[in-house]
Amino acid sequence: MPHAEVSPTIRLFYTDDGSGGGPDDPPLLLVHGWGADSHQWSWHIDALAARHRVLAVDLRGHGYSSVPETGNTPRAMAEDLDVLLDRLDVPEVIAVGHSMGGQVVSILAVEHPGRVRALVTLDPGYGMTQDLAGSFPEMIAGLRGEHAHAVAEEIDRWCTTSATPAVIRRWHKRRLYGMPPHVLAEAFEAMFTAPGAIGVLPASDDHLARRNCPALSIWADPGRAAWEEGLLKQPGSKVVCWEGSGHRLHEERPAEFVRLLEGWLRGR
């Protein structure tokens, strides 16, 4: 399983499966969420690789990739991906991101528009209301405290419902406890409260207005689904809501996610 050096201090772990169908079928780039890693796509890679080339990467600070002391932000992660694709001689991708990964691929699409043919975001980490964001400074302080992993576990409870399979709960709990606390804190802050963060309204609106590629967005929250549907202007864009699902809806419903993604890709 290879690593790629994207800067003098950052090496990214990634996997490369499948072969794809040529210029009209760019690779799928799968990007995980906060406190996870590319194992998150183990439910999907085999099915997707039967038809596509599939790249799944561990973002900086996560999984088997380098863990810098600073710079663990969605914007830096998006720049890493741009360099990684250069290293792999991949000019263009369909970028798929969950949660924080949804921010990362959305930033990649805005800052490097020629790199992203189409965008797929799964319960992405943007569109938060100001009311909800009011609790974020306390969460960030907790992530910087002596019980950072316990705080992360409490935050993670928001990601599940009573229907979430126990194996998914357990996998993510174990992954969170393996994370460097400073990465959890810095990445969360950069998503929502730091200067330039795009996770909270109205910054999310301004950011989405800059995207210029078709997007498929899958939400668990009907309110946020309706919000993004009103902002998607590119032909072929689509918003789907799986109300009642947990935040990791693609893990809870892997076969359904693959069918939806494949259908959307064929219909664009």
Side-chain angles (χ1 to χ4, degrees):
M1 299 301 182
H3 286 78
E5 186 175 294
V6 298
S7 81
T9 58
I10 302 294
R11 296 175 75 239
L12 298 184
F13 171 81
Y14 70 95
T15 56
D16 188 343
D17 294 281
S19 58
D24 293 330
D25 182 21
L28 302 178
L29 174 66
L30 308 183
V31 183
H32 63 81
W34 179 78
D37 59 34
S38 56
H39 284 90
Q40 189 178 35
W41 303 103
S42 297
W43 283 268
H44 319 94
I45 288 175
D46 287 343
L48 294 172
R51 296 182 178 86
H52 311 275
R53 183 180 178 186
V54 180
L55 305 171
V57 60
D58 288 354
L59 298 170
R60 62 163 66 196
H62 294 71
Y64 300 122
S65 291
S66 300
V67 182
E69 287 301 316
T70 60
N72 298 287
T73 69
R75 292 188 183 278
M77 294 167 185
E79 292 304 313
D80 289 344
L81 295 180
D82 184 56
V83 176
L84 173 66
L85 295 174
D86 275 341
R87 298 282 188 271
L88 299 178
D89 196 26
V90 174
E92 191 177 41
V93 294
I94 295 167
V96 183
H98 169 249
S99 191
M100 181 183 74
Q103 271 207 25
V104 173
V105 297
S106 191
I107 291 168
L108 181 67
V110 167
E111 300 301 332
H112 301 279
R115 185 68 87 185
V116 179
R117 172 86 62 90
L119 194 62
V120 181
T121 60
L122 308 170
D123 224 36
Y126 53 67
M128 302 290 187
T129 65
Q130 290 286 342
D131 287 346
L132 182 59
S135 62
F136 290 165
E138 181 179 356
M139 294 179 185
I140 294 164
L143 292 170
R144 296 194 185 281
E146 60 179 310
H147 303 294
H149 290 115
V151 172
E153 184 181 359
E154 284 300 311
I155 293 171
D156 195 64
R157 293 185 192 280
W158 168 79
C159 298
T160 65
T161 70
S162 59
T164 302
V167 65
I168 293 176
R169 296 173 185 268
R170 174 61 62 184
W171 189 94
H172 284 281
K173 178 179 178 178
R174 296 185 76 254
R175 194 67 209 98
L176 280 172
Y177 274 85
M179 283 289 298
H182 76 279
V183 175
L184 292 171
E186 186 177 16
F188 195 93
E189 182 177 44
M191 281 193 285
F192 300 119
T193 66
I198 65 168
V200 180
L201 303 172
S204 300
D205 301 77
D206 297 338
H207 172 78
L208 264 64
R210 298 175 60 200
R211 295 196 319 206
N212 195 33
C213 63
L216 168 65
S217 188
I218 308 173
W219 291 92
D221 177 3
R224 290 167 71 197
W227 161 78
E228 185 165 10
E229 188 169 29
L231 295 173
L232 295 181
K233 306 301 182 185
Q234 292 299 313
S237 293
K238 182 177 183 179
V239 174
V240 176
C241 183
W242 289 346
E243 189 172 1
S245 296
H247 178 53
R248 300 182 183 101
L249 35 71
H250 61 308
E251 294 176 31
E252 296 178 3
R253 302 162 71 167
E256 190 173 353
F257 165 65
V258 170
R259 285 196 300 271
L260 175 60
L261 174 59
E262 293 284 12
W264 183 71
L265 292 175
R266 289 194 299 271
R268 284 186 304 109

